[in-house]
Amino acid sequence: MRKQIAAANWKMNLTAQQAENLMNELVALPHQLYEHQQAIFAVPFPYLQMIEQKLHGKQNVFVAAQNCYYKKNGAFTGEVSVEMLQSININHVIIGHSERREYFNETNEVLALKVNHCLENNVTPIFCCGEPLAVRESNTQESFVAKQLDESLFHLSAEQIIKVVIAYEPIWAIGTGKTATSEQAQDIHLFIRNHIAAKYSERIANEISILYGGSVKAANAKEIFSQPDVDGGLVGGAALNAQEFNTIINSLK
Ligand code: 13P
């Protein structure tokens, strides 16, 4: 059974003290994660170890990095390798967030290298895809997202792709307060699943978690997550509030 996942993406927010306070507040709130559910916290690099130590040993809870480089080590000033992350017990990484594609020029080709490097090291990539507003307005989001998947994931073997978590995040819904309707989310999630099934198999497609991201909050999480092909969410702004994110965790199906 594929996992239902509430993933927080803190982006470039919070001081160390604020991060610690947020996590202290959150762990004190009532939530229950069943066997098939996970909570993942993608926090800024400097806080990975602190947050990992705070959550260490909690069932179905993981800490993720928001990015990594695709080389093992070497003269790459400012970059962080998968091996470094693993050495501090970090086994999940967001790959290809739209902000990295847009502001740091990450291409589908570079993201394929990053995905490879994660999988070679048994680190789970949370691979982001999703279209800008102009593409949605021209109703070509399916071919746009298909190209992202084809060029960054579809070179993988079935054994590899089954280990990837996909996050569909329409750029026009990120940080805008404008959420995709649950029907829009379901439509494109089903498209993504069918696209994977056509390349691999229905069995493989049914094992892959596909998260929705873009203005998910406590008030809309349950409705969006209830869609059959939506397996939870990747949450930005609302994940910076303990009560909000706790409600989102409790909205997983
Ligand atoms: P918001 O939830 O703030 O719209 O951000 C979504 C996102 O980009 C998560 O990665």
Side-chain angles (χ1 to χ4, degrees):
M1 184 196 236
R2 62 179 181 258
K3 303 287 182 202
Q4 303 295 310
I5 302 171
N9 177 7
W10 288 2
K11 308 191 178 183
M12 195 178 76
N13 290 297
L14 308 175
T15 62
Q17 189 59 59
Q18 289 168 335
E20 191 172 6
N21 292 347
L22 172 60
M23 201 44 89
N24 285 342
E25 199 186 331
L26 188 61
V27 293
L29 292 171
H31 45 252
Q32 185 171 12
L33 288 166
Y34 294 97
E35 183 66 28
H36 68 287
Q37 297 172 332
Q38 297 181 347
I40 301 179
F41 295 88
V43 310
F45 286 127
Y47 313 149
L48 283 170
Q49 229 171 343
M50 183 252 292
I51 298 296
E52 197 282 324
Q53 282 164 5
K54 218 173 250 308
L55 299 177
H56 198 82
K58 288 199 182 298
Q59 286 290 309
N60 304 336
V61 178
F62 304 96
V63 181
Q66 297 173 9
N67 180 32
C68 68
Y69 198 47
Y70 57 83
K71 299 277 191 178
K72 193 174 163 63
N73 55 26
F76 303 102
T77 302
E79 293 297 318
V80 172
S81 74
V82 169
E83 288 78 0
M84 290 174 184
L85 296 174
Q86 276 202 306
S87 71
I88 54 166
N89 293 324
I90 303 299
N91 297 301
H92 293 74
V93 188
I94 296 178
I95 298 290
H97 191 280
S98 62
E99 289 148 16
R100 298 233 37 107
R101 293 173 185 264
E102 184 178 350
Y103 307 134
F104 303 97
N105 303 317
E106 294 195 359
T107 61
N108 291 344
E109 292 69 32
V110 164
L111 299 177
L113 296 175
K114 291 190 176 195
V115 167
N116 290 347
H117 196 57
C118 287
L119 292 172
E120 281 158 15
N121 290 283
N122 289 319
V123 162
T124 302
I126 302 167
F127 177 80
C128 300
C129 58
E131 79 287 353
L133 183 60
V135 168
R136 172 62 65 160
E137 283 175 344
S138 65
N139 200 28
T140 52
Q141 63 273 10
E142 291 188 350
S143 57
F144 186 93
V145 169
K147 186 169 155 66
Q148 291 179 321
L149 300 175
D150 292 352
E151 294 185 357
S152 297
L153 297 183
F154 278 14
H155 61 286
L156 299 172
S157 67
E159 294 67 37
Q160 286 177 312
I161 200 163
I162 212 164
K163 296 180 182 145
V164 176
V165 172
I166 294 175
Y168 166 72
E169 301 202 303
I171 298 170
W172 47 272
I174 295 177
T176 57
K178 208 171 163 187
T179 322
T181 63
S182 50
E183 193 185 6
Q184 284 174 320
Q186 169 57 23
D187 283 353
I188 191 123
H189 280 231
L190 179 61
F191 168 78
I192 292 169
R193 204 176 300 285
N194 286 340
H195 193 60
I196 297 168
K199 165 79 183 174
Y200 294 90
S201 69
E202 213 158 298
R203 183 185 72 80
I204 298 288
N206 278 327
E207 285 295 319
I208 296 180
S209 301
I210 308 176
L211 316 185
Y212 169 80
S215 299
V216 173
K217 40 187 182 288
N220 60 22
K222 205 160 192 116
E223 159 77 13
I224 296 171
F225 297 174
S226 70
Q227 299 302 310
D229 287 288
V230 178
D231 305 310
L234 180 56
V235 185
L240 299 173
N241 177 295
Q243 295 276 358
E244 279 273 321
F245 193 65
N246 197 58
T247 302
I248 291 168
I249 294 174
N250 287 328
S251 303
L252 290 172
K253 60 176 179 271

